[in-house]
Amino acid sequence: MHSKEQISHDEYQKTADWLMSQTTHRPQVAIICGSGLGMLADTLKCQEAFDYSDIPGFPQSTVQGHAGRLVFGELKGKTCVCMQGRFHMYEGHSLSKTTFPVRVFKLMGVETLIVTNAAGSLADGFHPGDIMIIKDHVNFPGLVGMHPLCGPNDDKFGPRFPAMSGCYDKDLRCLAMEIAKEQGVASVMREGVYAMVGGPNFETIAEARLLHRLGVDAVGMSTAPEVVVATHCGLRVFGLSLITNKVVKCYEDTESVNHDGVLEVGRLRSHTVQQLVTELIGRIEVNNNTK
Ligand SMILES: O=P(O)(O)O[C@@H]1C[C@H](O)[C@@H](CO)O1
């Protein structure tokens, strides 16, 4: 894997220009769908969709539950672009490729990024089916230099040393919690810290215990690089983790997690997640996209 592959500004621009030549939609909000959460795109009206394989420069999705389609459309008066399928480091993509669409969205005029993922819970009191608003993250690969911003900095996107202290927008987190209360789903809502690990294996019990002791509430294999790149280029970010399983922390526990189970919880909670994200997008303040 080339974790430090460099992608030039021109390459991002070419993809953005190609997409803008193929659709008249000018998105204000981008959504990245996590495992089993691709149905978020189904809510978009006046859809135009592109297979990743047809988009110049786009990587390909290889994971079950990640369709590999970029869907444009309207939702509650906002123009959106939705990734039905994301790219993970463990698929062998470089981190630049993993986060490639985020910079393309920026160049297309997107202002707000909504990231979703499936995650296992470590926090006591979190259960499968709960929806965690991401308050902050621990980017484990990033801490050891497997980081999408490694290499020469592209000043056109952002500064060499970006701050990450407020990377999950506080107002959007409050708004989402308010909406959840109005929709009568407050009892399944949580807020917490997401940690990204490299995957693709699920955690050992010792790893689970370590993460728990470190104060991690939910663990997954994505999202942090996308959020880092989005924050670097000035996008406002909101993140949700759907808790699909409890991470096994006891040697006596006979339960074990698998990807089909992860996807199944996505299906079961699809309606709730859709309702929440739809209403949030409806209430997000955006400017006109003049690209
Ligand atoms: O794309 P996300 O982070 O939602 O996918 C999670 C992590 C692994 O890719 C997979 C494990 O079931 O789901």
Side-chain angles (χ1 to χ4, degrees):
M1 187 184 58
H2 314 287
S3 69
K4 295 186 173 66
E5 175 189 11
Q6 290 300 310
I7 298 176
S8 69
H9 202 276
D10 270 6
E11 287 172 87
Y12 294 110
Q13 191 67 60
K14 263 190 204 148
T15 303
D17 289 346
W18 185 87
L19 285 166
M20 288 192 288
S21 73
Q22 300 294 310
T23 176
T24 52
H25 287 299
R26 292 294 175 264
Q28 297 149 315
V29 178
I31 306 157
I32 302 182
C33 302
S35 285
L37 293 168
M39 75 298 162
L40 282 169
D42 300 342
T43 42
L44 300 183
K45 312 275 180 283
C46 311
Q47 286 193 13
E48 266 185 284
F50 301 88
D51 288 339
Y52 291 167
S53 54
D54 293 333
I55 306 174
F58 243 64
Q60 306 307 310
S61 285
T62 67
V63 184
Q64 195 201 346
H66 292 258
R69 276 172 12 123
L70 190 64
V71 185
F72 291 84
E74 303 292 323
L75 194 61
K76 296 245 171 185
K78 309 283 162 49
T79 306
C80 303
V81 58
C82 186
M83 284 178 70
Q84 264 186 331
R86 65 148 54 82
F87 311 114
H88 306 86
M89 198 174 84
Y90 65 74
E91 293 173 79
H93 300 297
S94 67
L95 284 163
S96 315
K97 277 285 186 191
T98 300
T99 56
F100 181 82
V102 174
R103 284 183 164 179
V104 170
F105 296 152
K106 172 72 181 180
L107 293 174
M108 293 178 74
V110 164
E111 292 178 350
T112 303
L113 176 69
I114 297 180
V115 286
T116 65
N117 60 53
S121 66
L122 295 144
D124 303 321
F126 282 26
H127 302 284
D130 286 351
I131 299 169
M132 184 183 89
I133 294 174
I134 306 176
K135 181 181 183 178
D136 202 350
H137 73 222
V138 180
N139 179 10
F140 277 108
L143 291 179
V144 293
M146 297 178 79
H147 196 288
L149 300 177
C150 273
N153 185 56
D154 187 341
D155 297 335
K156 288 190 195 132
F157 283 116
R160 171 75 289 185
F161 300 110
M164 286 295 145
S165 46
C167 58
Y168 295 90
D169 188 274
K170 194 170 180 196
D171 292 343
L172 293 181
R173 288 193 276 127
C174 292
L175 181 57
M177 202 54 104
E178 230 172 84
I179 291 169
K181 282 182 193 150
E182 290 167 16
Q183 293 181 337
V185 293
S187 62
V188 300
M189 295 305 293
R190 304 281 178 263
E191 190 171 62
V193 174
Y194 172 88
M196 181 207 178
V197 294
N201 66 276
F202 293 108
E203 294 65 40
T204 64
I205 290 172
E207 287 163 352
R209 290 179 171 194
L210 174 74
L211 292 168
H212 186 228
R213 287 188 130 199
L214 291 176
V216 170
D217 296 304
V219 59
M221 306 173 195
S222 68
T223 305
E226 297 154 1
V227 171
V228 164
V229 167
T231 304
H232 177 248
C233 67
L235 297 183
R236 189 167 28 150
V237 175
F238 174 75
L240 279 184
S241 291
L242 175 62
I243 304 300
T244 53
N245 56 282
K246 278 192 175 215
V247 181
V248 177
K249 295 196 295 256
C250 293
Y251 287 98
E252 293 73 37
D253 207 329
T254 50
E255 257 178 74
S256 88
V257 55
N258 63 66
H259 189 56
D260 286 341
V262 166
L263 298 182
E264 181 58 19
V265 178
R267 275 189 286 277
L268 293 174
R269 268 282 175 250
S270 59
H271 183 67
T272 312
V273 177
Q274 258 171 354
Q275 299 280 101
L276 183 65
V277 171
T278 301
E279 191 56 31
L280 181 71
I281 290 175
R283 295 205 213 164
I284 283 176
E285 283 176 29
V286 291
N287 296 308
N288 275 338
N289 183 343
T290 53
K291 291 279 176 184

